[in-house]
Amino acid sequence: MVIIDGQSLGLGHNGTAAERTQEGYRNRPASRMHRGLMRSDAALTMPLHGPLSQGYAADHATGLSFAVPVGNIPACLTFASALDLWRRQLGLPLHRMIVGFNGIGGQSIVQFDHDPLPDPFGTKIRDNHARWLAEMMSVEPTAVPLLYACIQGEADVSQTPEWYRAQAHVSYDAALDDIEAATGVRPPVVVWQTGAYTNGTTTNSGSTLAQLQLVEDYSAAFAGPLYPNFLADNVVHPTLDYQILHCEIAALVWAHREAGQNINLLPLAPIWSGNTVRIPFSVRPGRSLAFEAVDKYAAYGGLTNHGVEATGANITSVTLDGNAVVVTCDGPMTQVQIAMQSQDVSSFADGSLGNYGAHRCDIMESDPEDSLMLPGWKLKRFIPSCRFARP
């Protein structure tokens, strides 16, 4: 079972009929869903889209079928398809994966726990999830959970990191408890890092920063940041191509984990010296950091200092040294942050409402793999958003 819930980015791209057909066929080798389970209003005859706030009807699942999108194309479906390809690429054992989405778009992390408060939905997400698990075990009692993820955080960017980290523990543990109760297995966690809206003027970005701590707290696989996504609506939702891209990057990281390799790309402890700070990242052996060759932000409001900002002094240079970003200022800066801009770039959208979010950076791990899902694309793994105060 691939269990990826969350807000609307977990629910996934609202596909056209052609896109849904394409993704349905793409996923046939690997992905399955419940057959016969319906939403309470009977508007949805297949559970892949998820019941959202409606909840499930009394009808029970009668078996499994190919996973076919009926509206949105959930991230769990995209991830499973990509993981099947990367397992084949790396010579790993293959498994069919049962996918489903039980989150609700636009909801704070507090809606993902067992507490009936606060409104508007109380325990609806947990109830939907528990029902999905029960139906799963009734039609496939030998199924085991592969992972749990919650692509969520956009609703909580104004919160502090401390608040989000504490509440995420409550909600993650609630989900993991439910999964373990139903299956006897407590699965590992995958964490995606929240990006920013195009009018991302908050300075807290609590979910974004806390998610780096959650990777450590849960010994999680780190799918990477969402800020590099090209957005379809000048708000926060990526195009289908970019959903496929970020889910395939997550699948790449997970497949390497299955092969016994931790390739999480995370910041390490910075080294401060006078007007300079050296921030290393956990790049893979034989690789380094690199600037993206193409300035993709030029037509969408631009990018200053490669996405690096400093407090207390002005940046004079941003360079790369092996696995590290080296920031030099004209005085002793008190804080440095990367891909954490507080800015409104919504006026730079193109005629189709395409745009990049407020958080931006062009620093990535070198030598990216070719995408197996999108011919001609590269799996560029950009460094995550991060912030460091001078000790």
Side-chain angles (χ1 to χ4, degrees), residues 84-96:
D84 182 65
L85 292 177
W86 277 102
R87 281 172 168 169
R88 295 172 190 271
Q89 182 79 1
L90 298 178
L92 299 171
L94 302 180
H95 303 279
R96 288 181 178 176

Side-chain angles (χ1 to χ4, degrees), residues 18 23 66 68 120 154 165 190 204 219 234 256 287 299 304 318 322 345:
E23 293 307 298
F66 290 121
V68 179
E154 293 77 19
R165 183 186 187 186
V190 179
N204 282 345
S219 299
N234 196 27
H256 278 278
R287 306 200 188 196
T304 302
V318 175
V345 296

Side-chain angles (χ1 to χ4, degrees), residues 5-6 102-104 107-108 111-112 121-130:
D5 287 329
N102 287 288
I104 302 175
Q107 299 310 302
S108 167
Q111 292 292 337
F112 289 78
F121 298 118
T123 62
K124 178 64 72 174
I125 292 174
R126 292 271 57 82
D127 294 343
N128 289 343
H129 191 206

Side-chain angles (χ1 to χ4, degrees), residues 134-152:
E135 297 289 338
M136 180 70 264
M137 299 312 293
S138 72
V139 298
E140 191 65 36
T142 61
V144 295
L146 178 68
L147 58 87
Y148 171 74
C150 186
I151 305 179
Q152 190 281 335

Side-chain angles (χ1 to χ4, degrees), residues 27-45:
N27 285 276
R28 281 176 180 265
S31 303
R32 299 293 183 271
M33 65 180 187
H34 293 94
R35 181 176 64 247
L37 190 61
M38 295 193 297
R39 201 166 72 180
S40 61
D41 60 3
L44 191 66
T45 57

Side-chain angles (χ1 to χ4, degrees), residues 164-377:
Y164 187 88
R165 183 186 187 186
Q167 184 56 50
H169 271 272
V170 174
S171 294
Y172 282 26
D173 290 349
L176 294 170
D177 288 346
D178 289 348
I179 296 167
E180 186 174 19
T183 68
V185 176
R186 196 173 188 87
V189 172
V190 179
V191 174
W192 271 260
Q193 187 185 43
T194 299
Y197 293 88
T198 54
N199 62 341
T201 55
T202 178
T203 57
N204 282 345
S205 297
S207 51
T208 301
L209 292 173
Q211 283 152 353
L212 294 179
Q213 297 171 308
L214 292 172
V215 173
E216 180 178 354
D217 294 345
Y218 286 91
S219 299
F222 183 52
L226 291 166
Y227 74 77
N229 287 340
F230 187 67
L231 309 179
D233 57 0
N234 196 27
V235 181
V236 75
H237 302 101
T239 64
L240 179 57
D241 283 346
Y242 274 81
Q243 175 179 313
I244 292 171
L245 196 65
H246 79 70
C247 286
E248 186 177 355
I249 290 171
L252 173 73
V253 173
W254 184 264
H256 278 278
R257 181 174 173 134
E258 289 187 341
Q261 303 161 357
N262 178 356
I263 65 167
N264 287 351
L265 181 57
L266 294 164
L268 305 174
I271 301 170
W272 300 81
S273 178
N275 299 345
T276 297
V277 61
R278 187 178 191 275
I279 307 170
F281 288 81
S282 56
V283 301
R284 283 175 277 181
R287 306 200 188 196
S288 61
L289 294 180
F291 293 122
E292 187 177 22
V294 177
D295 184 1
K296 64 187 180 188
Y297 297 111
Y300 298 96
L303 178 68
T304 302
N305 290 325
H306 301 285
V308 181
E309 298 173 302
T311 302
N314 297 312
I315 293 176
T316 57
S317 70
V318 175
T319 60
L320 302 178
D321 178 24
N323 72 330
V325 178
V326 181
V327 184
T328 302
C329 295
D330 61 4
M333 60 288 206
T334 57
Q335 176 180 277
V336 168
Q337 63 183 25
I338 302 174
M340 292 289 295
Q341 298 93 330
S342 177
Q343 59 181 343
D344 186 344
V345 296
S346 58
S347 63
F348 296 101
D350 62 29
S352 300
L353 297 182
N355 203 351
Y356 291 96
H359 291 176
R360 301 174 172 202
C361 179
D362 64 353
I363 303 171
M364 52 181 270
E365 186 181 59
S366 67
D367 306 307
E369 287 87 347
D370 293 329
S371 169
L372 303 181
M373 297 275 281
L374 297 171
W377 291 58

Side-chain angles (χ1 to χ4, degrees), residues 56-111:
Y56 285 114
D59 307 72
H60 291 290
T62 57
L64 298 175
S65 63
F66 290 121
V68 179
V70 296
N72 294 71
I73 300 167
C76 57
L77 182 67
T78 310
F79 173 90
S81 185
L83 179 56
D84 182 65
L85 292 177
W86 277 102
R87 281 172 168 169
R88 295 172 190 271
Q89 182 79 1
L90 298 178
L92 299 171
L94 302 180
H95 303 279
R96 288 181 178 176
M97 289 165 277
I98 303 151
V99 297
F101 175 80
N102 287 288
I104 302 175
Q107 299 310 302
S108 167
I109 191 67
V110 301
Q111 292 292 337

